[in-house]
Amino acid sequence: MKIFTYLHYFFYVGFNWNFRIAITIINQEIKGEKKYTIDTTGADELKKLYKQGIDISHATMYMPISYLLLEEIFRQLSFATKKHFLDIGCGKGRAMCVAAYNGYKNITGIDFSKQFCEDATNNLKHTQRKFPAINYHVTTVDAMNYEIPATVDCIFLFNPFDVVIMSAVVYNILESARMYPREIIVAYANPLYEELFLEEGFTEIFHTKEMKYLEAAILKLPALL
C-alpha cells in the first residue's frame, strides 16, 4: 500500500532535514501523486546499483523534487516555446509528467538507472492517457556521454550528480547550442553548481528558495551566433 511509502518518506525527510519540512512535503506528495496519477514518491540511495557494479560515485541519491517547487518552476516557464523538454537524471519521471500537463508535447528523459527509466516510462504511459498527443522517450545512458538533441529548448535538472558530471553536461549543452543555434532554458532545482552555467554565458532569470531546502533557479542561454 502506498501509505507505507509515504510514511517511510516522511521519516526519511524528517530525520535528514527536519520534521517541519517533512509535514509540508508529505502533504504535497499525497496531493501531487493523486493530481497527476503517477507513482514517484520515495528515496533511493542507489545501493542496488552499487551492488550491480555500477559506478555511483558521481551520482546523488534519488529524491523527487517537491511538487510545490516543480509547479512554481513551470509557472515561471509559461513564456517558453515548449518545443522539446529534456530531463537529465529523470528518476521516475515526475518532472516529465508534469511537463506534459504544462503543454510540452515532446518529452525526453535520461538516467543511468535502468529501473528508474522503466518506472519513468510507466508513469508517462499513465500521463499519455490524458495527453495522447505527447511523444516521450526515456533512455538509460550516462549523462556525461549524452548528446543534447537539436530540438531541445528546455532542460530540467534536480541536482542529479556532482561537479564532474555537471561540468560535462554544461559542455554538452553548449556544444548543442553551437551546432544548432537557439535559446535554451535550464530549470535547475537545488542548483549547487549554478556557477558552472553562469561562467559559460547563462543568465539567471528566476530564483526561489523556501524552507532552506526548496531552491531552484531558471537560467537562459541566448542563441549563439
Side-chain angles (χ1 to χ4, degrees), residues 21-194:
I21 194 172
I23 292 171
T24 300
I25 286 183
I26 285 302
N27 284 332
Q28 294 172 21
E29 290 298 305
I30 295 171
K31 293 176 182 177
E33 297 280 87
K34 182 178 180 180
K35 176 180 178 180
Y36 296 104
T37 62
I38 55 178
D39 185 3
T40 57
T41 297
D44 190 324
E45 296 182 346
L46 312 181
K47 292 179 180 179
K48 289 183 179 179
L49 293 179
Y50 178 76
K51 290 179 180 179
Q52 294 170 12
I54 297 174
D55 182 12
I56 64 171
S57 60
H58 298 294
T60 59
M61 63 169 294
Y62 170 76
M63 282 183 69
I65 182 173
S66 76
Y67 280 107
L68 181 67
L69 187 58
L70 185 58
E71 290 177 341
E72 177 60 26
I73 287 172
F74 279 109
R75 275 192 291 272
Q76 297 298 326
L77 289 174
S78 60
F79 68 90
T81 55
K82 301 183 181 181
K83 291 180 180 178
H84 190 165
F85 181 87
L86 170 65
D87 187 346
I88 300 178
C90 67
K92 298 180 181 181
R94 176 175 296 187
M96 293 188 290
C97 293
V98 177
Y101 278 77
N102 283 273
Y104 288 88
K105 290 184 171 58
N106 294 306
I107 300 169
T108 298
I110 67 167
D111 203 286
F112 79 145
S113 167
K114 182 179 179 181
Q115 183 59 59
F116 286 166
C117 287
E118 291 175 356
D119 292 339
T121 299
N122 288 333
N123 283 315
L124 283 162
K125 286 179 180 177
H126 285 289
T127 302
Q128 193 176 46
R129 293 172 186 168
K130 292 189 175 182
F131 302 97
I134 66 169
N135 296 306
Y136 64 84
H137 186 67
V138 184
T139 303
T140 306
V141 65
D142 189 328
M144 181 177 281
N145 303 316
Y146 182 70
E147 183 176 325
I148 308 296
T151 56
V152 165
D153 60 346
C154 184
I155 297 171
F156 178 81
L157 298 158
F158 181 31
N159 188 34
F161 24 66
D162 67 9
V163 67
V164 175
I165 306 298
M166 188 63 79
S167 296
V169 168
V170 173
Y171 175 83
N172 293 341
I173 295 172
L174 291 170
E175 282 296 289
S176 180
R178 292 188 186 102
M179 292 179 65
Y180 310 99
R182 66 203 188 276
E183 181 180 277
I184 297 177
I185 300 296
V186 174
Y188 188 3
N190 193 12
L192 295 182
Y193 309 114
E194 181 180 359

